[in-house]
Structure formats: C-alpha cells, structure tokens
Amino acid sequence: MTAVLNSVFYNDQYTACEHAFDTTRKSALIAASLLERRVRSVNIADPAGSKKETEALLRRLHEREYLHAVKTGDNLPLAQSQGFTWDEGVYTMALAHNTGLVAATDAVLLGGDHWAGTLSSGLHHASRSSGSGYCTFNGLAVAAQRARDHGAERILVLDLDAHCGGGTYEMTRHLGVVQIDVSTSSFDWWKPDTDDADSDLDFASPEQYLPRVQRALQRATRLGPWDFVLYNAGMDPFNTGVRAGMLRWRERLVAEWAARQGVPIVVTIAGGYTWGDVTMEQLVGLHRSTFEEFAAAA
Ligand SMILES: [Zn+2]
C-alpha cells in the first residue's frame, strides 16, 4: 500500500523580510517542528514552482500602484500599509505566502489530494488597493481565483480566524464566493451584500465558540455541495480567550466535516500571536494541531 502524503507548503522565502513579527517568522518554526516531529502523512513541500502563476494572479487581483509600492518601496505609506517596516524582502515574503496558497490549490484540484496546507499568514485583511492588519496580499482571493480558473464553481471561504475577513469579502465578490466567518473580534467587519443570501459573519464569545463553529459548518453543509473550500485556520481566538483544547476540537470538527463532504480543501495557518504570556512554543503547538487533526481525519 502506498502512503498518501498531504503537502504543507513552505520555503525560507516565507520569512524573507527584516521586519520580525509572528506573521513573518512563525512559519519557519512551525516547519521546523513539523520536520522534527513528523505528523503522519504530512509532507513539507516547496511551493516555488507556482511563483510565476501567483505573480500573474496578484496582477489580476491587486491594483498596479499597490503592487508597485510593495515591490519598490517608492510609496512608503502604501508599501507599509499592512503594518511592517518596508524592505525588499516584504514583497518576497508576501509573494511566497501567496504562492503557498496557489500550490496548495493546485495540489487539491489538479493533484487529487483531499487536503493540502500552507504555512501562510497575513492574507485576509488585504484589499485590492492596500494592505491592512499585517496582511499584504490576499492569498485567499488569489486561491479562489485560481480555483475558478481550474473550473471550480461553488467556492467556500471558511474563515475562523479571530478577526473578520472584510478584505477577502471585498476581493472575492466578483467571483460569487460564499464566505462563512466566525470571529471573536470585530476588526475588519463586513456585511453580506443585499444580493448575497449565503455568506454570513457571526461573532462568538469563548463560551459560545464551539457551538458557533458547529452552526457555521451546518450552514456550509446546507449550502453545499462545494467544489472547493478555503479554510483560514487562525489560532488567534486563543489570544481572545478561547482555550487550546477548544481550538483543537474546532480543527477536528472542520477536518471531519471536509472528509465527510469529500470536498477538496486548502488550509492556511492565518493569525496567532505571541501576545501577552503566549510563548512561541505554545503558538507552534496550536498551529500543529490543525495539521494533526487534518491528518487524523483524512
Ligand atoms: Zn486574526
């Protein structure tokens, strides 16, 4: 019997910029942990082969002036609109995180994997014309466009990061993507368009967190079947009081839901921070739980 390997994409360009922050550093530590202490069936893969296609998608989805600013630093306020001090590596870093989404999308839609992951963050708040909230380019919009180019019609963005995905909603409206978002913070709040009865943004307190996630999955089931699902698996609800055990349970619910639906799903790590007394070791453990639960459910 051949072992099925699920790719989790990462390369050292994910940490290419000088600005040191969880979003620009944690992927290297998660990759090191996944290499040192293997998760069954998970294979760390280099997404570099998808870089050219990703740049072409970024040109379709983001405004030219904004891309130019991040590439060159010519317009510093725009180049730094995500909140990082600019250097040339910011473009390299953000492109790499987006490339991981494209490689993972290709792995599930062309390669036949049921799920694929990427250690990408800094995505869902970015809009067409600027960055926001540590997000430079919107890899979720990029992956949705890639999936549409591959023929996927019913596309779901499931965003369980602590913060809302207003940037993604803005950037994927033209694709008719359905967005189901459960948040614990109102940052980047969005409201479904009047002609969009399917998308939904819900807020949850730590006590109500898992029931709200379950409700979101029930909604996703009702609105299915889906051709492609993007899961923004932020661990930052931990920074707003949701416990690690509940977040592991959340990952199990989503992974088992995806396996039951038999839908190709791409998982990206999204938010999660060493704020307060949260250590990097804890944060790495939280993000590992995503891949451990997806590997177990497959
Ligand atoms: Zn967040």
Side-chain angles (χ1 to χ4, degrees):
M1 196 179 113
T2 324
V4 179
L5 290 180
N6 294 96
S7 295
V8 171
F9 289 93
Y10 168 77
N11 63 26
D12 56 16
Q13 296 197 341
Y14 280 50
T15 60
C17 71
E18 284 170 28
H19 189 98
F21 180 63
D22 295 323
T23 305
T24 65
R25 292 292 181 267
K26 68 181 177 181
S27 59
L29 298 152
I30 301 164
S33 168
L34 290 171
L35 285 169
E36 194 189 299
R37 199 155 51 85
R38 296 289 305 272
V39 174
R40 181 177 59 89
S41 86
V42 167
N43 175 48
I44 300 287
D46 186 346
S50 302
K51 203 162 138 179
K52 275 211 161 64
E53 291 92 328
T54 307
E55 282 197 287
L57 286 159
L58 288 172
R59 283 194 295 271
R60 284 165 69 187
L61 291 165
H62 281 288
E63 278 179 13
R64 197 192 172 98
E65 190 190 349
Y66 175 49
L67 283 174
H68 183 76
V70 179
K71 219 175 206 173
T72 63
D74 281 353
N75 180 340
L76 263 191
L78 197 52
Q80 301 187 145
S81 50
Q82 79 289 83
F84 302 151
T85 303
W86 185 86
D87 73 278
E88 281 175 0
V90 169
Y91 180 79
T92 308
M93 177 275 301
L95 173 60
H97 285 246
N98 277 251
T99 302
L101 265 298
V102 171
T105 301
D106 288 1
V108 298
L109 291 181
L110 306 180
D113 294 353
H114 292 302
W115 71 272
T118 174
L119 304 183
S120 307
S121 54
L123 312 165
H124 69 158
H125 304 312
S127 67
R128 284 187 71 80
S129 56
S130 83
S132 170
Y134 319 129
C135 298
T136 308
F137 302 139
N138 199 314
L140 297 171
V142 164
Q145 181 67 64
R146 182 70 167 176
R148 177 56 52 82
D149 292 347
H150 288 326
E153 284 175 13
R154 290 287 290 163
I155 300 172
L156 170 68
V157 171
L158 178 66
D159 191 336
L160 302 184
D161 185 276
H163 306 96
C164 313
T168 311
Y169 194 70
E170 178 215 303
M171 288 190 69
T172 58
R173 281 331 298 144
H174 69 290
L175 293 171
V177 166
V178 175
Q179 184 162 328
I180 296 178
D181 192 327
V182 180
S183 294
T184 60
S185 153
S186 62
F187 181 78
D188 205 13
W189 180 88
W190 57 277
K191 190 170 174 269
D193 291 345
T194 44
D195 63 347
D196 176 14
D198 293 346
S199 295
D200 187 56
L201 168 61
D202 197 7
F203 289 97
S205 63
E207 299 72 39
Q208 278 299 306
Y209 191 67
L210 284 176
R212 297 294 168 130
V213 168
Q214 272 166 322
R215 198 163 82 171
L217 291 173
Q218 281 158 9
R219 183 182 186 86
T221 304
R222 211 164 53 239
L223 295 170
W226 303 99
D227 297 323
F228 178 64
V229 176
L230 275 162
Y231 176 34
N232 202 41
M235 281 292 156
D236 45 3
F238 188 70
N239 299 100
T240 58
V242 177
R243 299 166 74 100
M246 288 169 79
L247 288 165
R248 178 177 286 280
W249 196 255
R250 179 193 82 179
E251 301 310 62
R252 189 169 303 170
L253 290 173
V254 177
E256 287 177 352
W257 173 83
R260 268 198 314 277
Q261 302 286 315
V263 63
I265 184 167
V266 163
V267 185
T268 189
I269 63 170
Y273 303 97
T274 53
W275 289 335
D277 56 2
V278 180
T279 64
M280 184 54 87
E281 198 186 345
Q282 268 180 308
L283 183 57
V284 168
L286 288 163
H287 287 301
R288 276 186 68 96
S289 71
T290 301
F291 301 113
E292 287 163 0
E293 294 304 324
F294 270 80

Short mmCIF file of all heavy atoms in Angstrom, two decimals, residues 80-103:
data_model
loop_
_atom_site.label_atom_id
_atom_site.label_comp_id
_atom_site.label_asym_id
_atom_site.label_seq_id
_atom_site.Cartn_x
_atom_site.Cartn_y
_atom_site.Cartn_z
N GLN A 80 3.84 50.12 3.35
CA GLN A 80 3.82 49.72 4.76
C GLN A 80 2.39 49.68 5.32
O GLN A 80 2.20 49.62 6.54
CB GLN A 80 4.70 50.67 5.58
CG GLN A 80 6.14 50.68 5.09
CD GLN A 80 7.10 51.49 5.96
OE1 GLN A 80 8.26 51.12 6.10
NE2 GLN A 80 6.64 52.58 6.52
N SER A 81 1.40 49.68 4.43
CA SER A 81 0.01 49.76 4.89
C SER A 81 -0.42 48.51 5.67
O SER A 81 -1.39 48.56 6.42
CB SER A 81 -0.94 49.99 3.70
OG SER A 81 -0.68 49.08 2.65
N GLN A 82 0.29 47.42 5.56
CA GLN A 82 -0.05 46.21 6.36
C GLN A 82 0.49 46.32 7.79
O GLN A 82 0.12 45.51 8.63
CB GLN A 82 0.48 44.95 5.68
CG GLN A 82 1.97 44.64 5.83
CD GLN A 82 2.84 45.58 5.06
OE1 GLN A 82 3.14 46.68 5.54
NE2 GLN A 82 3.26 45.19 3.87
N GLY A 83 1.44 47.28 8.01
CA GLY A 83 1.96 47.48 9.36
C GLY A 83 3.40 47.04 9.56
O GLY A 83 3.90 47.04 10.69
N PHE A 84 4.10 46.67 8.46
CA PHE A 84 5.50 46.26 8.58
C PHE A 84 6.42 47.35 8.05
O PHE A 84 6.07 48.06 7.12
CB PHE A 84 5.77 44.98 7.78
CG PHE A 84 4.93 43.80 8.18
CD1 PHE A 84 4.60 42.82 7.26
CD2 PHE A 84 4.47 43.66 9.49
CE1 PHE A 84 3.82 41.72 7.62
CE2 PHE A 84 3.69 42.57 9.86
CZ PHE A 84 3.36 41.60 8.92
N THR A 85 7.63 47.45 8.64
CA THR A 85 8.65 48.35 8.09
C THR A 85 9.13 47.75 6.77
O THR A 85 9.47 46.57 6.70
CB THR A 85 9.83 48.46 9.07
OG1 THR A 85 9.31 48.92 10.32
CG2 THR A 85 10.87 49.43 8.56
N TRP A 86 9.13 48.58 5.71
CA TRP A 86 9.42 48.04 4.38
C TRP A 86 10.90 47.74 4.16
O TRP A 86 11.76 48.50 4.56
CB TRP A 86 8.94 49.01 3.28
CG TRP A 86 9.12 48.42 1.90
CD1 TRP A 86 8.25 47.61 1.25
CD2 TRP A 86 10.25 48.56 1.04
NE1 TRP A 86 8.76 47.22 0.03
CE2 TRP A 86 9.99 47.79 -0.12
CE3 TRP A 86 11.47 49.24 1.14
CZ2 TRP A 86 10.90 47.70 -1.18
CZ3 TRP A 86 12.38 49.13 0.09
CH2 TRP A 86 12.08 48.37 -1.06
N ASP A 87 11.17 46.62 3.55
CA ASP A 87 12.45 46.38 2.88
C ASP A 87 12.11 45.49 1.69
O ASP A 87 10.96 45.05 1.56
CB ASP A 87 13.49 45.73 3.82
CG ASP A 87 13.19 44.29 4.12
OD1 ASP A 87 12.35 44.04 5.02
OD2 ASP A 87 13.75 43.39 3.46
N GLU A 88 13.05 45.22 0.82
CA GLU A 88 12.74 44.45 -0.40
C GLU A 88 12.15 43.08 -0.09
O GLU A 88 11.40 42.52 -0.89
CB GLU A 88 14.01 44.27 -1.24
CG GLU A 88 14.33 45.51 -2.05
CD GLU A 88 15.65 45.40 -2.80
OE1 GLU A 88 16.32 44.35 -2.68
OE2 GLU A 88 15.99 46.38 -3.47
N GLY A 89 12.53 42.56 1.07
CA GLY A 89 12.05 41.23 1.44
C GLY A 89 10.56 41.17 1.74
O GLY A 89 9.98 40.08 1.77
N VAL A 90 9.91 42.32 1.94
CA VAL A 90 8.46 42.29 2.23
C VAL A 90 7.71 41.74 1.02
O VAL A 90 6.81 40.90 1.17
CB VAL A 90 7.94 43.70 2.63
CG1 VAL A 90 6.42 43.71 2.67
CG2 VAL A 90 8.50 44.10 3.99
N TYR A 91 8.11 42.16 -0.18
CA TYR A 91 7.46 41.63 -1.39
C TYR A 91 7.73 40.13 -1.52
O TYR A 91 6.81 39.34 -1.76
CB TYR A 91 7.95 42.38 -2.64
CG TYR A 91 7.31 41.88 -3.91
CD1 TYR A 91 6.03 42.26 -4.27
CD2 TYR A 91 8.00 40.98 -4.75
CE1 TYR A 91 5.42 41.76 -5.41
CE2 TYR A 91 7.41 40.48 -5.90
CZ TYR A 91 6.12 40.88 -6.23
OH TYR A 91 5.52 40.38 -7.36
N THR A 92 9.00 39.76 -1.34
CA THR A 92 9.39 38.34 -1.45
C THR A 92 8.58 37.49 -0.47
O THR A 92 8.06 36.43 -0.81
CB THR A 92 10.89 38.18 -1.13
OG1 THR A 92 11.61 39.11 -1.94
CG2 THR A 92 11.39 36.78 -1.38
N MET A 93 8.50 37.98 0.77
CA MET A 93 7.78 37.27 1.83
C MET A 93 6.29 37.12 1.47
O MET A 93 5.73 36.03 1.50
CB MET A 93 7.96 38.05 3.14
CG MET A 93 7.25 37.53 4.37
SD MET A 93 5.53 38.08 4.57
CE MET A 93 5.68 39.88 4.63
N ALA A 94 5.64 38.24 1.13
CA ALA A 94 4.20 38.20 0.85
C ALA A 94 3.90 37.35 -0.38
O ALA A 94 2.92 36.60 -0.41
CB ALA A 94 3.66 39.61 0.67
N LEU A 95 4.75 37.45 -1.40
CA LEU A 95 4.58 36.62 -2.60
C LEU A 95 4.70 35.14 -2.23
O LEU A 95 3.90 34.32 -2.70
CB LEU A 95 5.63 37.01 -3.66
CG LEU A 95 5.69 36.12 -4.91
CD1 LEU A 95 4.36 36.11 -5.67
CD2 LEU A 95 6.81 36.58 -5.85
N ALA A 96 5.66 34.79 -1.39
CA ALA A 96 5.85 33.39 -1.00
C ALA A 96 4.62 32.85 -0.27
O ALA A 96 4.16 31.74 -0.55
CB ALA A 96 7.09 33.25 -0.13
N HIS A 97 4.07 33.62 0.67
CA HIS A 97 2.87 33.17 1.41
C HIS A 97 1.70 32.94 0.44
O HIS A 97 0.94 31.99 0.59
CB HIS A 97 2.48 34.19 2.48
CG HIS A 97 3.39 34.16 3.69
ND1 HIS A 97 2.95 33.79 4.94
CD2 HIS A 97 4.70 34.46 3.84
CE1 HIS A 97 3.96 33.86 5.81
NE2 HIS A 97 5.04 34.27 5.15
N ASN A 98 1.57 33.84 -0.57
CA ASN A 98 0.50 33.68 -1.56
C ASN A 98 0.78 32.49 -2.49
O ASN A 98 -0.15 31.78 -2.88
CB ASN A 98 0.35 34.97 -2.38
CG ASN A 98 -0.50 36.00 -1.66
OD1 ASN A 98 -1.62 36.28 -2.06
ND2 ASN A 98 0.00 36.55 -0.57
N THR A 99 2.05 32.30 -2.81
CA THR A 99 2.44 31.17 -3.67
C THR A 99 2.07 29.84 -3.02
O THR A 99 1.64 28.90 -3.69
CB THR A 99 3.94 31.24 -3.99
OG1 THR A 99 4.21 32.49 -4.63
CG2 THR A 99 4.37 30.11 -4.93
N GLY A 100 2.21 29.77 -1.70
CA GLY A 100 1.82 28.56 -0.98
C GLY A 100 0.35 28.24 -1.17
O GLY A 100 -0.04 27.08 -1.33
N LEU A 101 -0.49 29.26 -1.19
CA LEU A 101 -1.93 29.04 -1.42
C LEU A 101 -2.19 28.51 -2.82
O LEU A 101 -3.05 27.64 -3.01
CB LEU A 101 -2.68 30.38 -1.23
CG LEU A 101 -3.31 30.75 0.11
CD1 LEU A 101 -4.40 29.77 0.51
CD2 LEU A 101 -2.30 30.88 1.20
N VAL A 102 -1.48 29.06 -3.80
CA VAL A 102 -1.68 28.61 -5.19
C VAL A 102 -1.20 27.16 -5.34
O VAL A 102 -1.89 26.32 -5.93
CB VAL A 102 -0.93 29.55 -6.17
CG1 VAL A 102 -0.95 28.99 -7.60
CG2 VAL A 102 -1.58 30.93 -6.14
N ALA A 103 -0.05 26.84 -4.77
CA ALA A 103 0.48 25.48 -4.86
C ALA A 103 -0.48 24.49 -4.17
O ALA A 103 -0.73 23.39 -4.68
CB ALA A 103 1.86 25.41 -4.22
#
